[in-house]
């Protein structure tokens, strides 16, 4: 069944009564259910979630932290994952059979993860092997489907997140001469560039035309980047940087490595979600920052650090729309469903896929 067919099923659509409820009533009910279920319930929340949801999270983190936390938690029977689909899949892979992972809104996907499917990946691998033989190791950003993680796992590769991408790319080069990095070309390019790979040693695989975009001798290629991107982080531009530089000359610019190479290159600093948070937390009072990452997080940092001047690098930025789909009504609906003994939006990765995907995840988590 396709994801659209799944979503169309009425059991995946928020019942009308939740749309009519007052915020206060929903918050009280969530508090009651959390109290009632105690340790049987665990709510991990990504930093990009709305404040209304984050207030109920038992753990808040970036994608690496949430994967680590999920792997450690053996007590919770119900894991209500406030993040996006690939994160809930990862949690399901890393938890036991007795634990159930629920995504409050099935429409909370990730447009970047959707830019690589398993059929495209297998086709690409075949074509690239014809060009490069057995010289490549696949690495996939965790922002990818479980099927792609499984592909990477069975081909000796690993997952990466933005907070360990440097270590994982270094590790990959100890295994093989070349890397296929998917699905985010920008994280792959920025990381490899930092590690000394020249831009003209990186080719781009276009999964739509099934072509390698590269000018030059193939023997020079060290990194093959999948032509995918984050539609949120790609919205930070060189123009935004020029504007900040001319308007606020003392302001520091810090961005997520999912931004383009040009934007990262012109910024003062770049790093994962966790890195950005720690940089702002550790900054001197009175310092000024333009941040290039998701808007729910930037707004939270603005609120938490009134002693610093913080703006979004792009003043017209909006939150990650798919992350934003998890809201108070969907969270309450998931919890009510658990209490009533229903199924809810369960994320279940099939056993064979999970067995291979865990290889890729463990190669990352055990480092
Ligand atoms: P982090 O790995 O920094 O949590 O990023 C996840 C993500 O989806 C960023 O867009
Ligand atoms: Fe995906 Fe980008 Fe949203 Fe992260 S911010 S979940 S990469 S669309």
């Amino acid at each position: 069944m396709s994801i659209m067919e799944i979503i169309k099923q009425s059991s995946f659509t928020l019942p009308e009564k939740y749309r009519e409820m007052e915020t206060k009533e929903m918050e009280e009910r969530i508090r009651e259910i959390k109290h009632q279920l105690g340790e049987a319930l665990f709510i991990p929340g990504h930093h990009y979630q709305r404040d209304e949801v984050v207030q109920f999270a038992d753990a808040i983190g970036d994608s690496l932290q949430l994967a680590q936390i999920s792997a450690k938690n053996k007590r919770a029977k119900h894991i209500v994952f406030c993040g996006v689909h690939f994160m809930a899949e990862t949690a399901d892979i890393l938890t036991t059979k007795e634990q159930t992972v629920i995504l409050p809104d099935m429409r909370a996907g990730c447009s970047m993860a959707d830019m690589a499917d398993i059929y495209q990946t297998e086709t690409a691998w075949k074509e690239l092997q014809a060009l490069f033989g057995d010289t490549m190791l696949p690495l996939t950003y965790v922002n990818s489907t479980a099927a792609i993680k499984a592909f990477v796992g069975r081909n000796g590769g690993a997952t990466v997140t933005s907070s360990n991408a440097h270590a994982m790319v270094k590790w990959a080069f100890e295994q093989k001469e070349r890397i296929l990095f998917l699905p985010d070309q920008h994280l792959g390019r920025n990381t490899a560039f930092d590690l000394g790979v020249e831009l003209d040693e990186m080719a781009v695989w276009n999964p739509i035309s099934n072509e390698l975009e590269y000018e030059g001798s193939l023997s020079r290629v060290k990194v093959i980047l999948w032509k995918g991107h984050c539609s949120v982080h790609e919205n930070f531009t060189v123009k935004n940087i020029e504007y900040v530089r001319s308007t606020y000359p003392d302001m520091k610019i810090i961005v997520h490595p999912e931004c383009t190479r040009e934007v990262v290159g012109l910024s003062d600093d770049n790093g994962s979600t966790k890195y950005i948070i720690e940089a702002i937390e550790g900054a001197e009072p009175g310092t000024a920052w333009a941040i290039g990452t998701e808007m729910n997080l930037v707004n939270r940092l603005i609120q938490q650090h009134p002693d610093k001047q913080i703006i979004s690098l792009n003043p017209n930025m909006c939150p990650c729309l798919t992350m934003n789909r998890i809201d108070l009504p969907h969270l309450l609906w998931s919890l009510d469903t658990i209490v009533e003994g229903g199924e809810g939006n369960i994320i279940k990765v099939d056993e064979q896929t999970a067995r291979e995907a865990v290889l890729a995840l463990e190669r990352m988590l055990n480092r």
Side-chain angles (χ1 to χ4, degrees):
M1 197 185 305
S2 79
I3 192 92
M4 287 319 290
E5 283 165 334
I6 293 173
I7 289 164
K8 272 191 217 143
Q9 287 186 2
S10 59
S11 59
F12 291 102
T13 309
L14 183 76
E16 199 52 38
K17 67 173 183 179
Y18 293 101
R19 296 189 200 282
E20 288 152 13
M21 264 189 212
E22 297 286 332
T23 302
K24 246 193 145 101
E25 188 188 347
M26 288 191 279
E27 288 178 340
E28 266 168 32
R29 179 87 190 115
I30 292 173
R31 261 182 228 110
E32 273 169 29
I33 296 177
K34 284 194 69 168
H35 183 72
Q36 181 187 340
L37 293 176
E39 285 194 341
L41 171 69
F42 184 63
I43 307 182
H46 191 270
H47 286 299
Y48 295 175
Q49 289 286 291
R50 296 161 177 258
D51 285 345
E52 67 188 44
V53 167
V54 162
Q55 66 174 323
F56 293 111
D58 295 310
I60 303 168
D62 66 1
S63 52
L64 177 61
Q65 291 169 306
L66 294 179
Q68 289 165 333
I69 292 166
S70 307
K72 271 198 202 124
N73 187 319
K74 306 284 178 230
R75 300 168 89 106
K77 188 160 178 274
H78 315 282
I79 297 175
V80 176
F81 206 104
C82 294
V84 287
H85 193 272
F86 73 81
M87 297 179 185
E89 275 191 337
T90 302
D92 179 54
I93 293 166
L94 294 173
T95 48
T96 64
K97 273 194 190 134
E98 290 69 39
Q99 295 175 292
T100 302
V101 177
I102 293 157
L103 185 65
D105 187 343
M106 281 302 210
R107 298 168 306 166
C110 163
S111 54
M112 176 202 286
D114 290 344
M115 288 178 195
D117 70 33
I118 186 60
Y119 306 106
Q120 292 170 323
T121 305
E122 273 164 356
T123 305
W125 189 246
K126 231 162 117 196
E127 300 270 339
L128 290 168
Q129 278 195 320
L131 294 176
F132 298 111
D134 183 28
T135 62
M136 297 174 297
L137 193 83
L139 283 183
T140 185
Y141 196 15
V142 283
N143 299 35
S144 53
T145 62
I148 288 181
K149 291 185 179 81
F151 166 86
V152 168
R154 68 177 167 268
N155 285 288
T159 56
V160 315
T161 78
S162 49
S163 39
N164 60 24
H166 286 80
M168 293 312 297
V169 169
K170 260 195 213 160
W171 169 82
F173 275 128
E174 285 160 16
Q175 323 298 314
K176 289 273 164 106
E177 198 181 318
R178 296 188 172 85
I179 296 171
L180 168 64
F181 191 99
L182 61 164
D184 183 16
Q185 58 170 310
H186 302 309
L187 178 65
R189 185 177 290 113
N190 287 320
T191 308
F193 185 80
D194 283 352
L195 292 173
V197 180
E198 303 287 337
L199 292 175
D200 66 4
E201 292 173 323
M202 301 186 215
V204 173
W205 177 261
N206 183 332
I208 306 298
S209 62
N210 277 330
E211 273 167 347
L212 190 68
E213 298 178 356
Y214 186 71
E215 282 167 18
S217 160
L218 287 185
S219 61
R220 268 185 71 69
V221 173
K222 289 194 177 147
V223 177
I224 300 129
L225 303 163
W226 192 268
K227 199 169 190 172
H229 64 268
C230 165
S231 33
V232 175
H233 288 90
E234 257 204 1
N235 282 329
F236 297 103
T237 62
V238 170
K239 272 210 164 80
N240 295 146
I241 298 213
E242 287 166 354
Y243 177 80
V244 168
R245 295 284 188 221
S246 61
T247 317
Y248 311 99
D250 295 329
M251 193 168 257
K252 282 225 151 101
I253 299 176
I254 185 165
V255 300
H256 195 284
E258 285 175 18
C259 295
T260 63
R261 177 71 223 133
E262 293 73 27
V263 165
V264 169
L266 290 169
S267 300
D268 297 301
D269 203 356
N270 75 91
S272 67
T273 304
K274 179 168 173 267
Y275 181 89
I276 293 174
I277 294 170
E278 288 174 355
I280 301 299
E281 282 171 354
E284 292 293 324
T287 49
W289 296 84
I291 306 180
T293 194
E294 203 275 339
M295 219 40 228
N296 282 332
L297 173 60
V298 175
N299 283 333
R300 194 168 308 121
L301 290 171
I302 292 172
Q303 280 166 25
Q304 288 171 345
H305 299 273
D307 59 334
K308 292 155 204 168
Q309 185 193 356
I310 301 172
I311 59 168
S312 169
L313 176 57
N314 178 345
N316 301 316
M317 199 65 191
C318 51
C320 169
L321 295 177
T322 48
M323 282 271 182
N324 240 33
R325 290 201 154 127
I326 312 291
D327 55 10
L328 219 46
H330 282 88
L331 177 57
L332 176 57
W333 176 40
S334 301
L335 299 183
D336 270 343
T337 310
I338 293 171
V339 170
E340 287 157 11
E343 289 265 280
N345 297 331
I346 292 175
I347 303 296
K348 190 87 214 121
V349 176
D350 71 82
E351 267 183 43
Q352 170 69 19
T353 305
R355 219 181 356 258
E356 292 179 329
V358 86
L359 299 173
L361 284 161
E362 280 178 352
R363 284 183 195 122
M364 170 183 81
L365 293 169
N366 293 340
R367 285 192 57 75

